Amino acid sequence: MEKYRDYTAVDFLNDESFLRWISEPTQKENDFWNNFLKTHPYKKADIKEATLVFKLFYSRENKLALNEQYDLWKKIQDEAKNSKRTIFLKLAKYAAILILVFFSGAVTYYLYQNGGQQYQYELAETPQTTKDEAMIVLSDGSQISLEKQMSQISYSQNGQQLIVNNDTITQKTPTEGGLINKIIIPYGKKSMIMLSDGTKVWLNAGSQLIYPSVFSEKTRQVMLVGEAFFDVAKNTEKPFVVRTTDISIHVLGTRFDISAYPEDKLIQTVLVEGKVNLTYSGKGILNREYSVEMKPNQMVVVNKSTGESRSQTVDVSKFVSWKDGMLEFEKVDLVRALKQVERYYNVRIQLADPMIGSFKLSGKLDLKEEPEEVLNVIKLTVPIDWQKKSNGDFIIINK
Amino acid sequence: MYSVENKDDERLIWSRFLKGDNHVLSLIYLQHSNSLFDYGCRFTIDKELVKDCIQEVFCSLMRTRNNLSETDNVRLYLLKSLKRRIIRELKKTDHQPRLLNDQDYPFDLRWSESLDDQLSELDEEKRLRLADAMQSLTDRQKEAIYLRFNRGLEYEEISFLLNLNYQSSRALIHRAVEKLREIIRVPNKNFGQVLLAILCHSREHAF
């Protein structure tokens, strides 16, 4: 710390640690530099100046969209496969890996930990709406289908056994680290899963969750596409982290709901109790990474395209009622409510006139009924009517 | 978030790749594809060309694996290889005479739009002077600045990419930094406030 005492703005801009701090700070750097500012208040002006020059020079970045990144990778793989220069055996192994990794059209992310321990996360670009089957994909690629409308899954503490709707399945876990499992819930289905640490996750229709069978890392990490309600088992030693494409949520033990469907422009997080930290790490430049501390009854909505977030106090029960088979709305745009009905029942609902979508809907819908019944209830509160087309799609018309 | 955290891991991945483990190539790809794409887009607005060149970079990486060594700096190797390919392509398609010289290719560097908003509170004259100073940078100066501040490269690495010696690349950046600093330095009440606002903004989002 002493060497920085006489640093000018230019010196700071030449210092690797300083540059890391103002571009991609780690906790260590934040601690160091915040402490430095506290103990050397007269350096504030120089640091401000250096930071501004950095900001002026830091240029807007072009980023590959997730699907572009994936497509490009596939092209590289294809070209590699076609190349006759590679020894055949090597190639065969390579192709096998490819099929496994990209089987579901997913981009694979790896997380390397010290000592070369390898974790593999698959982040699907979109939930597989074409497949109507709910399933768990084990790390060896084998699939367990979940036949029920609402499946119950729970993992034993050592992650070696999972109970799916009363059937017990055993998977061999390596001595170190867990296996990566994935659960896929198509539209029209739901599931509740208890992870090996006791955390309960309710997955809404059209969602996927990727998680290790045991949490052997410093943090308990899962990845989510779609919507889920989390009741996180308390463990102050190992924070629980939920990642989505654009945000991640850090918690110790709490209950909250995240809705991050790929087709939605907004990612919505609602906190029921406890405390969570929401970190945005998407596009946008100066604010390409920020975090918000959330309080109970708060909802934070992040706009995926601009990276902006806004928060408001809400009645949380309305946002988590889906897990009990109810949908509750308070002055929600009809189009958004219908979207949820679509996902829940796996049906298509069209609007005859886009203006209909902006009607505000309030009230409770019981999702145990048939979709027709649900639309009839909606009909009572907003001036619409519905018809069923020959292909089974619903069409909403003005009354 | 998905990146490889430290240099040891990076070396480990590289050495596994060199030993024939193709599985780790996706790691290298995921770690570097976005920064390669961004670097490439500085030379041309043709994004498809940039993507094609990135594809070639990785394919040639697999082909030339046996000629590479454990001590190679992966990121630098990829950046250099991409730049060479893009400039070669630009020369082929672009008939502008300025591209005949390897040092003459354009480089796009402008400050982010969100900063623009914040600077708009600044008085017109200062803003113009800052914009002016940015525009008066040479293309190579822009590239050096970009590599330093956006990509976080060290001076040795920058010199390698720009085919310059260590001193010259340092001087390129130093001159640009000084220029902006002079403008900022001039005491001005309004500006102080803006500066503070920008800082508060950036600190808020620090972690």
Side-chain angles (χ1 to χ4, degrees), chain A residues 294-322:
Chain A
M294 288 180 65
K295 294 187 190 73
N297 299 315
Q298 203 184 15
M299 169 168 84
V300 172
V301 178
V302 176
N303 184 320
K304 286 199 279 193
S305 51
T306 63
E308 281 163 349
S309 69
R310 68 194 155 76
S311 68
Q312 64 189 91
T313 307
V314 294
D315 178 359
V316 289
S317 63
K318 296 199 170 45
F319 292 88
V320 301
S321 54
W322 60 264

Side-chain angles (χ1 to χ4, degrees), chain A residues 154-166:
Chain A
S154 69
Y155 277 78
S156 62
Q157 263 183 24
N158 61 12
Q160 293 192 359
Q161 275 167 351
L162 61 154
I163 299 167
V164 180
N165 299 331
N166 302 330

Side-chain angles (χ1 to χ4, degrees), chain A residues 39-190:
Chain A
T39 49
H40 302 73
Y42 62 96
K43 286 276 98 183
K44 252 182 199 153
D46 293 300
I47 286 188
K48 274 181 189 174
E49 203 177 297
T51 309
L52 182 63
V53 171
F54 179 86
K55 298 286 174 207
L56 286 166
F57 278 150
Y58 190 94
S59 172
R60 185 176 52 85
E61 298 234 345
N62 298 285
K63 241 174 130 181
L64 287 163
L66 217 48
N67 62 326
E68 284 181 304
Q69 197 178 25
Y70 168 64
D71 288 345
L72 183 53
W73 173 241
K74 233 169 66 179
K75 273 194 208 159
I76 294 169
Q77 299 287 13
D78 289 347
E79 195 172 318
K81 261 193 291 187
N82 294 335
S83 158
K84 296 280 186 290
R85 272 168 262 206
T86 332
I87 304 162
F88 176 73
L89 268 180
K90 263 189 187 172
L91 186 68
K93 181 181 155 208
Y94 193 40
I97 291 164
L98 263 180
I99 291 161
L100 260 183
V101 171
F102 291 114
F103 180 70
S104 57
V107 177
T108 302
Y109 287 102
Y110 294 89
L111 215 74
Y112 250 72
Q113 302 293 337
N114 288 339
Q117 207 177 42
Q118 185 180 320
Y119 278 95
Q120 176 183 326
Y121 288 90
E122 283 185 6
L123 173 62
E125 176 69 342
T126 50
Q128 290 160 304
T129 47
T130 45
K131 271 194 188 160
D132 282 339
E133 204 183 356
M135 60 171 126
I136 297 181
V137 183
L138 301 179
S139 58
D140 62 2
S142 60
Q143 301 174 351
I144 304 163
S145 52
L146 308 169
E147 280 142 14
K148 288 192 183 170
Q149 209 58 27
M150 167 76 196
S151 291
Q152 302 258 4
I153 298 128
S154 69
Y155 277 78
S156 62
Q157 263 183 24
N158 61 12
Q160 293 192 359
Q161 275 167 351
L162 61 154
I163 299 167
V164 180
N165 299 331
N166 302 330
D167 294 331
T168 305
I169 289 144
T170 308
Q171 61 176 342
K172 276 213 184 92
T173 317
T175 41
E176 269 185 49
L179 297 164
I180 299 300
N181 290 182
K182 169 170 160 179
I183 177 165
I184 301 168
I185 303 298
Y187 291 136
K189 291 208 172 148
K190 277 195 305 179

Side-chain angles (χ1 to χ4, degrees), chain B residues 11-206:
Chain B
R11 231 167 273 138
L12 183 81
I13 289 168
W14 185 236
S15 92
R16 278 179 61 174
F17 172 70
L18 293 184
K19 284 185 190 120
D21 183 350
N22 277 321
H23 204 176
V24 297
L25 187 70
S26 65
L27 277 177
I28 299 172
Y29 173 80
L30 280 168
Q31 199 197 353
H32 297 286
S33 53
N34 263 322
S35 50
L36 285 172
F37 180 68
D38 184 58
Y39 184 48
C41 289
R42 308 284 166 166
F43 297 107
T44 169
I45 52 163
D46 184 351
K47 297 204 159 131
E48 292 308 310
L49 173 75
V50 175
K51 285 199 231 167
D52 288 348
C53 289
I54 293 176
Q55 187 183 338
E56 275 180 55
V57 166
F58 280 94
C59 292
S60 89
L61 190 65
M62 282 187 272
R63 284 195 301 271
T64 58
R65 169 164 26 205
N66 296 335
N67 307 330
L68 301 169
S69 96
E70 295 248 346
T71 53
D72 282 331
N73 178 333
V74 192
R75 176 170 63 163
L76 203 55
Y77 175 89
L78 294 172
L79 289 170
K80 182 90 175 179
S81 164
L82 178 71
K83 178 179 172 178
R84 198 174 48 229
R85 276 163 213 280
I86 287 179
I87 289 173
R88 196 171 63 202
E89 288 305 312
L90 287 178
K91 274 186 193 164
K92 260 191 243 166
T93 52
D94 217 282
H95 297 292
Q96 292 171 39
R98 55 178 296 179
L99 277 174
L100 287 175
N101 187 326
D102 264 7
Q103 291 296 320
D104 278 347
Y105 44 86
F107 196 88
D108 178 45
L109 182 84
R110 58 187 96 167
W111 59 48
S112 58
E113 284 136 25
S114 47
L115 186 65
D116 236 10
D117 287 346
Q118 293 166 57
L119 287 177
S120 66
E121 291 167 35
L122 200 63
D123 75 72
E124 190 66 17
E125 190 238 323
K126 287 260 145 55
R127 213 171 58 220
L128 284 176
R129 283 183 61 195
L130 280 176
D132 227 34
M134 288 292 281
Q135 264 169 18
S136 67
L137 300 171
T138 66
D139 285 319
R140 293 294 65 71
Q141 217 167 359
K142 286 181 189 165
E143 189 176 352
I145 287 165
Y146 166 82
L147 292 170
R148 179 79 179 141
F149 295 119
N150 273 64
R151 294 276 71 85
L153 296 193
E154 290 174 17
Y155 290 116
E156 285 90 352
E157 299 174 309
I158 297 171
S159 335
F160 174 72
L161 281 168
L162 290 177
N163 291 325
L164 291 173
N165 64 39
Y166 180 89
Q167 283 310 326
S168 320
S169 61
R170 237 187 119 105
L172 270 184
I173 294 169
H174 187 79
R175 275 200 300 272
V177 168
E178 278 295 349
K179 211 174 197 173
L180 287 206
R181 212 165 67 97
E182 264 167 39
I183 303 172
I184 294 166
R185 259 272 162 95
V186 184
N188 177 309
K189 215 173 81 200
N190 284 340
F191 188 75
Q193 279 164 1
V194 172
L195 185 70
L196 204 68
I198 291 171
L199 270 162
C200 292
H201 183 78
S202 65
R203 280 301 95 226
E204 240 169 61
H205 299 151

